[in-house]
Amino acid sequence: MDSDSRNLAKEFLSKLSDSEKWELILEITNQYPWYQLVSGEEEDIKQGDILEDCPVFQLPENLAEIKKDKLEITTKVEWREQDVIIMSQSCDMVKGREKLTETLLCAVWKRSELKEGYLASNVGMEEARRGNLPGYHVLGECSLPEFHRDIRVVDFRRVYSLPLPFVRRLATEAEKRIRLLPPYREQLAQAFARYFMRVGLPTDIPPFASSKPDKTEAEVIKKVQAMDKESQKRILSHLVTELGLST
């Protein structure tokens, strides 16, 4: 490369943000890592940013009483810290061109936190990984230097919203955060949309059941039989609650 071309390249790169430079490098090298480490001060928030220990509000069931068209708040609203991932579109959060006032967030759980229920078992995690549990989406582990994070699960059933300026301040104060990169970010958005666009039919097509289990069913049965009793109980509990079966 001659000096003129090198200077043009430097000028072009100087106009790009750190995020755009990173995406250009990925495109040139044809590599697809899951995450990018971004600076809280330099980078505005985008879809796919993970905010750790974010304050979220949890409303109790007995929040208020309705008395003759009058709503009376009967309890205090509590908050807790929760890892979340930004689900709002990046284009709607551009500084100076905001198209929303509230940022949409979904809860994110570390796999180590899933100690009860169906997802506590390898079978449940594998079903989620394959996309067979619409309410959940599995994210790969983060192996960035000094920012290693375990495999996580996005919970579409726990959705929060916080003011956009507050989320920006929270991201800035965090100094560093990880950002989900394409195409994993687009896959997450697609899974989120698919979860909310599901349609339950009043009359469904009967299942194509056979007298003998097929190969897949036989493999599942074999795996379940080889599990310990606690894992078998978790799977049974999932079938009862999620699929509407009875014991």
Side-chain angles (χ1 to χ4, degrees):
M1 180 184 293
D2 56 38
S3 59
D4 290 339
S5 298
R6 189 178 294 108
N7 290 334
L8 286 173
K10 288 182 178 179
E11 182 181 357
F12 170 73
L13 291 174
S14 66
K15 297 178 181 179
L16 300 179
S17 66
D18 289 343
S19 177
E20 290 171 330
K21 289 177 184 177
W22 181 254
E23 291 181 4
L24 179 61
I25 291 172
L26 296 180
E27 184 175 349
I28 294 174
T29 58
N30 197 30
Q31 295 179 1
Y32 298 94
W34 276 79
Y35 303 99
Q36 171 190 0
L37 190 62
V38 296
S39 169
E41 295 182 355
E42 298 177 0
E43 289 282 344
D44 195 12
I45 57 176
K46 288 186 176 182
Q47 184 185 59
D49 284 9
I50 294 179
L51 305 177
E52 298 182 340
D53 300 326
C54 176
V56 295
F57 298 94
Q58 187 163 356
L59 302 178
E61 294 182 359
N62 59 343
L63 172 66
E65 292 184 2
I66 302 176
K67 297 180 178 180
K68 293 184 179 180
D69 301 328
K70 183 179 179 181
L71 195 64
E72 294 183 359
I73 303 297
T74 59
T75 186
K76 293 182 179 180
V77 176
E78 298 182 353
W79 68 275
R80 60 186 175 83
E81 293 183 341
Q82 169 75 56
D83 290 355
V84 297
I85 188 167
I86 296 177
M87 299 302 304
S88 296
Q89 295 279 12
S90 300
C91 59
D92 290 337
M93 300 183 291
V94 177
K95 285 185 178 180
R97 303 199 306 270
E98 292 89 345
K99 298 178 182 178
L100 49 78
T101 58
E102 298 282 323
T103 306
L104 192 65
L105 311 160
C106 274
V108 179
W109 305 98
K110 302 179 185 69
R111 190 183 180 188
S112 58
E113 295 176 326
L114 303 173
K115 298 180 179 180
E116 297 180 355
Y118 190 49
L119 288 178
S121 66
N122 288 334
V123 173
M125 284 297 298
E126 176 61 15
E127 285 293 286
R129 186 191 70 83
R130 293 185 180 187
N132 295 333
L133 302 179
Y136 303 100
H137 186 76
V138 180
L139 302 179
E141 67 176 344
C142 177
S143 57
L144 293 173
E146 300 181 2
F147 222 89
H148 184 271
R149 296 294 185 271
D150 193 10
I151 286 176
R152 303 197 197 198
V153 177
V154 181
D155 189 349
F156 295 149
R157 303 182 304 175
R158 296 178 183 268
V159 182
Y160 309 98
S161 67
L162 289 172
L164 176 56
F166 174 77
V167 176
R168 278 200 178 116
R169 292 199 303 271
L170 190 68
T172 300
E173 293 175 2
E175 295 184 356
K176 297 288 185 180
R177 65 185 183 277
I178 55 175
R179 171 174 294 165
L180 191 65
L181 292 173
Y184 314 104
R185 182 171 60 205
E186 285 71 20
Q187 185 193 41
L188 170 67
Q190 182 188 52
F192 185 61
R194 187 168 57 245
Y195 174 67
F196 281 97
M197 67 184 289
R198 292 174 302 154
V199 177
L201 300 178
T203 304
D204 204 350
I205 300 172
F208 298 98
S210 60
S211 57
K212 296 182 179 179
D214 59 20
K215 183 179 179 180
T216 302
E217 291 174 341
E219 291 176 352
V220 171
I221 293 172
K222 186 177 180 181
K223 289 180 180 180
V224 173
Q225 290 175 337
M227 291 178 181
D228 57 87
K229 295 297 183 181
E230 290 302 318
S231 296
Q232 291 176 349
K233 288 180 181 179
R234 285 196 296 267
I235 293 173
L236 178 59
S237 176
H238 168 75
L239 294 176
V240 170
T241 57
E242 297 292 334
L243 305 183
L245 301 180
S246 61
T247 57

